[in-house]
Amino acid sequence: MGFYSERVLPRIVDLTCGRTDHDPIRRRVTAGLAGRVVEIGFGSGRNVPFYPARVKAVTAVEPADLGWRLASERVAQAPVPVQRAGLDGQSLPFEDDSFDTALSTWTMCTIPDAGIALAELRRVLIPGGTLHFVEHGLAPDAAVQHWQHRLDPVQSTLFGGCHLNRDIRGIIERAGFTISDIDVFYQAPGPKFLAALSLGVAVSP
Ligand SMILES: C[S@@+](CC[C@H](N)C(=O)[O-])C[C@H]1O[C@@H](n2cnc3c(N)ncnc32)[C@H](O)[C@@H]1O
């Protein structure tokens, strides 16, 4: 990791992910979490205030040391233990069937191979365990998709490998999850190419 990705990008992530209009979305996506939770792409811990009471412990996976440091106050105030125990969603250092639920918010856009990360989540979730996700990705409209494909190289260069045009439903289903609930919508305000969200729950077999 270089200076930009280590020292600058985590602060940009903290600011952009701290938008207060994300709060209702975070409340929705975290609502069904319970038991032992693994959260990939933990960032600066913006989901911590929204963990519901049924959560018993959270294991964070986050490559950016600065992101984890920026999370320290939220982690300290969490009502449950939150520990960082992994650096890469594509290679989770956990036994099979270690977690009841998993969380990923605005992260599958950036993990180099999101399919591998999802396969890892399947492995570490108990059978029937659930992945709770909200991700930006490929829009439902062709006109927006056109701009997503055109702008993707710029976005990816400026924002640490973040892609605009990932087919969120497709990558989750191809990893073997069954989507039990999904809502695809544009978050307003914001440019549609960045704001096409998929929010839902996927069940591990
Ligand atoms: C846009 S941020 C979202 C942060 C947080 N989930 C939130 O909602 O505020 C994407 C996060 O994914 C992390 N990330 C990048 N590559 C990753 C990987 N291979 N495994 C796990 N997390 C990764 C980044 O460091 C960053 O914190």
Side-chain angles (χ1 to χ4, degrees), residues 155-174:
Q155 172 81 6
S156 174
T157 304
L158 291 179
F159 295 102
C162 169
H163 292 279
L164 294 171
N165 53 0
R166 287 197 168 159
D167 168 17
I168 299 302
R169 176 193 276 272
I171 56 177
I172 293 173
E173 288 181 336
R174 280 194 293 279

Side-chain angles (χ1 to χ4, degrees), residues 20-71:
T20 52
D21 64 321
H22 280 356
D23 288 2
I25 294 172
R26 293 190 190 279
R27 196 165 288 114
R28 270 180 77 189
V29 71
T30 55
L33 294 173
R36 300 159 298 168
V37 178
V38 58
E39 178 171 353
I40 60 165
F42 183 81
S44 57
R46 292 283 181 184
N47 291 315
V48 173
F50 299 93
Y51 295 148
R54 291 172 63 213
V55 168
K56 298 291 173 237
V58 176
T59 300
V61 176
E62 172 54 51
D65 291 342
L66 179 55
W68 177 249
R69 283 206 299 281
L70 292 170

Side-chain angles (χ1 to χ4, degrees), residues 7-183:
R7 308 294 310 167
V8 180
L9 196 56
R11 291 189 192 278
I12 296 174
V13 166
D14 181 46
L15 286 177
T16 54
C17 288
R19 288 168 48 175
T20 52
D21 64 321
H22 280 356
D23 288 2
I25 294 172
R26 293 190 190 279
R27 196 165 288 114
R28 270 180 77 189
V29 71
T30 55
L33 294 173
R36 300 159 298 168
V37 178
V38 58
E39 178 171 353
I40 60 165
F42 183 81
S44 57
R46 292 283 181 184
N47 291 315
V48 173
F50 299 93
Y51 295 148
R54 291 172 63 213
V55 168
K56 298 291 173 237
V58 176
T59 300
V61 176
E62 172 54 51
D65 291 342
L66 179 55
W68 177 249
R69 283 206 299 281
L70 292 170
S72 59
E73 212 166 297
R74 283 180 276 275
V75 167
Q77 287 172 5
V80 294
V82 180
Q83 60 158 1
R84 182 185 181 203
L87 299 176
D88 183 359
Q90 299 163 121
S91 176
L92 297 177
F94 314 123
E95 301 287 320
D96 297 359
D97 305 345
S98 297
F99 298 98
D100 304 296
T101 53
L103 178 63
S104 174
T105 64
W106 288 280
T107 289
M108 287 183 213
C109 52
T110 301
I111 294 183
D113 191 328
I116 292 180
L118 285 157
E120 277 292 83
L121 285 178
R122 257 193 65 182
R123 181 182 67 73
V124 302
L125 278 170
I126 59 168
T130 47
L131 164 64
H132 302 250
F133 60 91
V134 63
E135 304 292 347
H136 74 87
L138 195 63
D141 303 293
V144 183
Q145 288 182 6
H146 171 78
W147 282 106
Q148 290 182 313
H149 294 313
R150 288 197 71 172
L151 295 172
D152 191 62
V154 180
Q155 172 81 6
S156 174
T157 304
L158 291 179
F159 295 102
C162 169
H163 292 279
L164 294 171
N165 53 0
R166 287 197 168 159
D167 168 17
I168 299 302
R169 176 193 276 272
I171 56 177
I172 293 173
E173 288 181 336
R174 280 194 293 279
F177 283 92
T178 301
I179 293 183
S180 60
D181 184 28
I182 189 164
D183 184 13

